Amino acid sequence: MLFRSEIPFNERNFKMGNVPIPLNWSENEISNAFKLSAQCGEIVSLSQKVGWNSSVNIQLYQDDIDLAANYGLETMISIDVLNDERNGIGNLPEELTERDFSDIYLRQLYKNEVIQIVENYHPKYLNLSLEINGYYLSNPDDFFNFCTLYQETYDTLRIINSELIIAVSFQYEILNGDRKSTRLNSSH
């Protein structure tokens, strides 16, 4: 494990970050996960699945944002649009399961949720999708619909906050050519 004290921030031109994962969901272990994160970097990624509804639970990220601040950590809000296998859209209500990123209604739900997150939490960093390259491998045609959705959302967010750093993340194992150790079916 690399600790931030091993490469002080004033000696590098990047920030280090991670995902605080507790050993269990007790208050003590959650706090310990943030404490360890503070020893390892300056940023934590906080992620939730897209809710696919018209309003965001205002407390959704707030407790973790407050805990991160207590340990001097910046936060990146990461929006997870994929299922756990990373090969389909995740957390869709039953009435939306047959839709993909070309669907106007689904696109609007996503944009509305992201806008509410930005307006409620004012993040400095925003990840618009976790491990999106898994979706590309499984759904290459619809992946390009996500790309246009990303661009539309990006443009809207720039109007709301021109300083917001916006990105997506990729699953490293796939980028490294190792599909067998991923959650994706190795036959893809």
Side-chain angles (χ1 to χ4, degrees), residues 12-181:
R12 53 186 155 90
N13 61 357
F14 59 91
K15 294 182 180 181
M16 296 186 343
N18 59 63
V19 177
I21 301 175
L23 295 175
N24 61 55
W25 295 106
S26 71
E27 192 173 312
N28 186 53
E29 286 302 324
I30 292 169
S31 183
N32 285 339
F34 279 83
K35 182 179 179 181
L36 181 59
S37 292
Q39 294 170 356
C40 298
E42 296 83 24
I43 302 173
V44 289
S45 175
L46 307 175
S47 66
Q48 294 288 336
K49 298 278 188 191
V50 172
W52 304 110
N53 55 48
S54 58
S55 64
V56 174
N57 174 353
I58 299 303
Q59 272 308 111
L60 190 63
Y61 293 97
Q62 195 59 58
D63 294 339
D64 287 343
I65 290 170
D66 293 343
L67 191 54
N70 288 343
Y71 286 103
L73 292 161
E74 294 181 83
T75 55
M76 173 174 63
I77 293 181
S78 297
I79 298 165
D80 193 356
V81 299
L82 300 181
N83 60 19
D84 291 340
E85 293 77 27
R86 315 325 257 166
N87 63 4
I89 301 172
N91 206 35
L92 288 172
E94 189 174 330
E95 66 272 12
L96 300 177
T97 56
E98 298 301 317
R99 300 186 190 207
D100 63 17
F101 288 119
S102 69
D103 184 83
I104 293 170
Y105 181 65
L106 191 79
R107 294 167 74 89
Q108 195 59 54
L109 286 173
Y110 173 83
K111 286 189 279 190
N112 289 347
E113 189 163 335
V114 171
I115 289 166
Q116 287 181 54
I117 287 169
V118 169
E119 289 177 340
N120 287 321
Y121 299 109
H122 312 285
K124 183 175 180 180
Y125 308 98
L126 182 68
N127 177 350
L128 290 178
S129 182
L130 294 172
E131 302 176 343
I132 194 67
N133 51 338
Y135 194 70
Y136 169 75
L137 291 173
S138 300
N139 298 282
D141 293 336
D142 194 41
F143 175 79
F144 291 102
N145 292 321
F146 175 80
C147 291
T148 61
L149 175 58
Y150 172 91
Q151 188 62 58
E152 290 170 19
T153 307
Y154 180 95
D155 292 344
T156 301
L157 294 174
R158 279 282 169 249
I159 294 167
I160 296 169
N161 179 353
S162 62
E163 302 296 315
L164 181 62
I165 298 170
I166 305 168
V168 295
S169 68
F170 300 95
Q171 188 175 19
Y172 176 76
E173 294 84 359
I174 295 173
L175 290 175
N176 207 26
D178 180 9
R179 294 186 193 166
K180 291 181 181 174
S181 66

